Amino acid sequence: MNLFYHIGKYALLMKRVFTKPEKRNIFFRLFIREIEMLGVNSLGIVIIISVFMGAVITLQTAYNIESPLIPTYLVGLTARDSMILEFSSTIVGLILAGKVGSNIASEIGTMRISEQIDALEIMGVNSANYLILPKITAAVFINPFLNIISIFVGIIGGYLATIFTFAIPPDQYIEGIHYAFIPFYVTYSIVKTILFAFVITSVPAYHGYYATGGALEVGRSSTRAVVYSSILILLINVITTQLMLA
Amino acid sequence: MIKLENISKSFGDKQVLNNISSVFEKGKTNLIIGQSGSGKTVLLKSIIGLHQIDEGNIYYDNREFSRMSEKKKKDIRKEIGMVFQGGALFDSATVEENVGFPLEMFTDMSDEEKKERVNFCLSKVNLENVNHLYPAEISGGMQKRVAIARAISLNPKYLFCDEPNSGLDPRTAIVIDQLIKELTVEFNMTTVINTHDMNSVIEIGDKILYIYKGEKWWEGTNDEILYTDNKELNDFIFASDLMRKFKKSQL
Ligand SMILES: Nc1ncnc2c1ncn2[C@@H]1O[C@H](COP(=O)(O)OP(=O)(O)OP(=O)(O)O)[C@@H](O)[C@H]1O
Ligand SMILES: [Mg+2]
């Protein structure tokens, strides 16, 4: 019951978000700013996580292959496909849900409780459109680039791991990442990333937009935003996988 | 001129406003007074449409507002300036950007013209050399003044202030009151102010509407309020010793 109430309210909010902005140049300026805030500022964390993730997958796979019948270049293939299929989209999505999501929920929530949203409304500005649309569009635009960067950096991380540990010969790793490459996996990864980008901006925006009470409530709504975004990401992950890879 | 006709508003089964009617004249500072929780903010927010009223009519110069389409409401809102209780300045924008925001959003002014208008509004509230500071970097009194400057930037016909001088020292409070009064006369605005500051009541109360438990209990001018025999109003106004002494000296 409660769930349907929130879904309805969320849908109505999105209807107000996706309208024509009051002024195109203002929207464009905000869009650029959000690309910096949500995209460029997340680059560091995405790179760090991806390097280590790629390295760990490589090492784990290498040390788990015991049968001499399995060729070692499969380690490279596993690292590549794990990055593309799951880590660079879903795990990065979950991390960004924490970083970007709590950020958005607390920013918009603070604007709600300090009456800044009322101030916008009273000026005749569609506050939902003004505040939320640049965030959603910026994330949907920039996150696929983060995804691609993450894939590359992850694969490089795996390579570095083979160089430093010699768990498998580095040239075998290189052979592996060239082996049986399926371009559709990248499409799948980008589609997921776009859906996740929508979730990690719109869901926290919803929680912030309808925050009530004081600073404590804003904190709570931002926690809730991260939890719900994460659950939705996991759910969407299963559904898109079934739809696209089955 | 703003006319209220039988306004009622409840949240759930809690009736907050009950059948309130009144008229706020142009060029006058109209005060809404009442105890904390009596419904002042709800009334103000109902008048400007941030709350949907359950019953009654609201006229902005004979244009019925509460049942207008969102699109038409938007047009009227461009004629409204509002100073919120906490200022509600955009924290991520400088003073200049705050005051210039409505201009940016709703006019095609050039950067030059905008700058000029912003400086004009800031000079009206006696603020200089703060253009590039952020709201967090200026004092509470200055924030209120910036909020007033922002509210008047589009030359509004109607100005609403929710407790514009709460939390300010008495001197600054008087300055803000006088400022609002002067702007009201100068630009011939219809101004509505929520307050529980007795100083404001006496100083700038061209018209006073006393709300008691969500109902209109009394209305009149600042001269009349001294002589009222309404018990609840007397208890409210002359709650302090000082006000009782003041009344005695006036009689
Ligand atoms: N959004 C809301 N939902 C439910 N009840 C509300 C809401 N807003 C206000 N109220 C209730 O309406 C009553 C009047 O509140 P209001 O804020 O108008 O008081 P006020 O006269 O402005 O008080 P103060 O002087 O303290 O600002 C209060 O009892 C409050 O709990
Ligand atoms: Mg109030």
Side-chain angles (χ1 to χ4, degrees):
Chain A
M1 200 56 226
N2 214 353
L3 177 70
F4 289 118
Y5 168 79
H6 282 292
I7 291 174
K9 203 163 151 192
Y10 170 83
L12 287 175
L13 178 66
M14 287 304 121
K15 201 174 140 215
R16 289 189 58 215
V17 168
F18 287 95
T19 48
K20 197 168 150 288
E22 193 77 39
K23 271 198 171 172
R24 208 176 323 151
N25 61 339
I26 295 182
F27 169 76
F28 194 67
R29 205 173 58 212
L30 294 171
F31 175 73
I32 298 293
R33 199 182 72 187
E34 294 301 340
I35 283 185
E36 189 190 336
M37 302 274 286
L38 306 179
V40 180
N41 290 351
S42 302
L43 200 57
I45 191 165
V46 167
I47 287 177
I48 291 172
I49 289 164
S50 304
V51 168
F52 282 97
M53 210 100 84
V56 166
I57 299 167
T58 303
L59 295 180
Q60 284 179 351
T61 318
Y63 295 142
N64 275 307
I65 294 180
E66 284 180 346
S67 160
L69 291 177
I70 300 174
T72 43
Y73 64 76
L74 279 185
V75 172
L77 180 138
T78 307
R80 181 197 69 205
D81 283 354
S82 311
M83 288 308 294
I84 296 178
L85 289 173
E86 200 56 17
F87 287 96
S88 295
S89 50
T90 312
I91 303 295
V92 168
L94 287 172
I95 305 245
L96 291 185
K99 180 181 182 290
V100 169
S102 61
N103 207 316
I104 291 177
S106 53
E107 180 190 331
I108 295 183
T110 305
M111 292 190 73
R112 164 61 74 194
I113 62 160
S114 62
E115 297 183 310
Q116 293 174 50
I117 290 182
D118 285 340
L120 283 170
E121 286 292 322
I122 217 52
M123 289 175 196
V125 176
N126 175 346
S127 59
N129 171 272
Y130 177 81
L131 295 173
I132 303 174
L133 188 63
K135 293 188 196 301
I136 296 180
T137 48
V140 165
F141 174 79
I142 197 72
N143 283 18
F145 291 98
L146 290 179
N147 179 21
I148 300 289
I149 291 170
S150 161
I151 292 172
F152 270 104
V153 172
I155 291 172
I156 292 170
Y159 183 60
L160 292 178
T162 63
I163 290 180
F164 287 123
T165 64
F166 226 76
I168 62 162
D171 57 331
Q172 296 250 328
Y173 178 84
I174 296 291
E175 190 186 336
I177 59 177
H178 284 102
Y179 187 76
F181 174 62
I182 302 171
F184 181 71
Y185 283 179
V186 177
T187 313
Y188 159 80
S189 187
I190 289 177
V191 168
K192 286 205 299 183
T193 300
I194 289 174
L195 293 174
F196 297 160
F198 191 88
V199 168
I200 59 185
T201 44
S202 66
V203 171
Y206 168 78
H207 281 94
Y209 197 81
Y210 290 112
T212 49
L216 205 61
E217 242 335 282
V218 171
R220 286 204 190 103
S221 78
S222 122
T223 308
R224 265 200 308 273
V226 174
V227 172
Y228 286 121
S229 312
S230 305
I231 293 172
L232 265 175
I233 285 177
L234 297 174
L235 206 64
I236 290 174
N237 192 26
V238 176
I239 295 170
T240 42
T241 304
Q242 175 60 25
L243 286 179
M244 294 183 74
L245 295 188
Chain B
M1 184 194 74
I2 297 171
K3 193 162 96 184
L4 311 181
E5 246 175 34
N6 311 101
I7 307 277
S8 294
K9 168 77 189 165
S10 34
F11 293 104
D13 50 11
K14 184 172 182 217
Q15 179 110 13
V16 179
L17 301 177
N18 193 357
N19 204 26
I20 293 181
S21 302
S22 193
V23 173
F24 301 130
E25 300 283 351
K26 201 186 232 181
K28 296 264 164 66
T29 39
N30 302 277
L31 268 46
I32 300 173
I33 64 171
Q35 262 168 15
S36 192
S38 57
K40 300 184 296 293
T41 299
V42 173
L43 178 57
L44 206 63
K45 287 192 172 177
S46 298
I47 299 174
I48 58 182
L50 285 176
H51 292 315
Q52 181 73 43
I53 53 172
D54 304 330
E55 274 166 66
N57 297 304
I58 299 162
Y59 297 93
Y60 283 83
D61 289 308
N62 297 321
R63 294 169 296 177
E64 208 292 318
F65 178 70
S66 59
R67 264 164 276 284
M68 263 180 191
S69 68
E70 268 309 310
K71 212 165 167 243
K72 284 194 180 153
K73 270 189 186 167
K74 227 173 136 173
D75 290 334
I76 292 212
R77 282 188 173 151
K78 285 172 196 162
E79 302 174 358
I80 293 178
M82 168 94 191
V83 179
F84 285 86
Q85 194 156 346
L89 297 175
F90 305 126
D91 336 286
S92 57
T94 61
V95 165
E96 183 173 279
E97 288 163 350
N98 262 288
V99 179
F101 183 86
L103 305 174
E104 180 93 43
M105 213 66 189
F106 298 114
T107 69
D108 293 318
M109 285 184 178
S110 68
D111 286 350
E112 278 295 292
E113 289 169 315
K114 263 183 278 184
K115 208 175 166 69
E116 202 171 305
R117 178 74 195 163
V118 166
N119 287 333
F120 172 79
C121 293
L122 285 173
S123 73
K124 280 285 156 202
V125 296
N126 305 319
L127 277 180
E128 267 154 26
N129 303 323
V130 294
N131 290 38
H132 300 292
L133 296 180
Y134 284 88
E137 298 170 336
I138 58 179
S139 73
M142 286 159 105
Q143 286 178 12
K144 287 267 161 68
R145 281 188 277 170
V146 174
I148 295 172
R150 182 176 70 181
I152 61 169
S153 69
L154 276 181
N155 243 327
K157 284 186 179 167
Y158 315 98
L159 180 65
F160 295 89
C161 309
D162 196 357
E163 310 206 7
N165 52 20
S166 67
L168 300 179
D169 64 273
R171 212 187 134 92
T172 313
I174 290 169
V175 170
I176 299 268
D177 276 347
Q178 289 305 336
L179 188 67
I180 294 172
K181 171 92 193 155
E182 282 163 25
L183 292 170
T184 301
V185 174
E186 184 175 348
F187 299 117
N188 201 21
M189 295 183 289
T190 305
T191 299
V192 183
I193 304 168
N194 270 359
T195 186
H196 36 209
D197 183 25
M198 284 316 127
N199 233 319
S200 313
V201 171
I202 307 296
E203 294 283 336
I204 61 166
D206 291 337
K207 156 142 191 182
I208 298 154
L209 179 63
Y210 174 58
I211 305 287
Y212 180 73
K213 293 186 177 164
E215 290 185 40
K216 176 169 95 177
W217 213 250
W218 185 88
E219 66 183 333
T221 66
N222 50 358
D223 291 331
E224 291 163 0
I225 206 167
L226 293 176
Y227 308 106
T228 172
D229 48 15
N230 185 306
K231 179 175 178 312
E232 287 76 15
L233 180 57
N234 267 315
D235 288 350
F236 178 63
I237 299 270
F238 304 106
S240 78
D241 235 8
L242 191 67
M243 285 304 291
R244 281 194 290 273
K245 280 188 188 134
F246 173 73
K247 183 179 185 178
K248 220 175 256 168
S249 75
Q250 293 288 305
L251 294 179

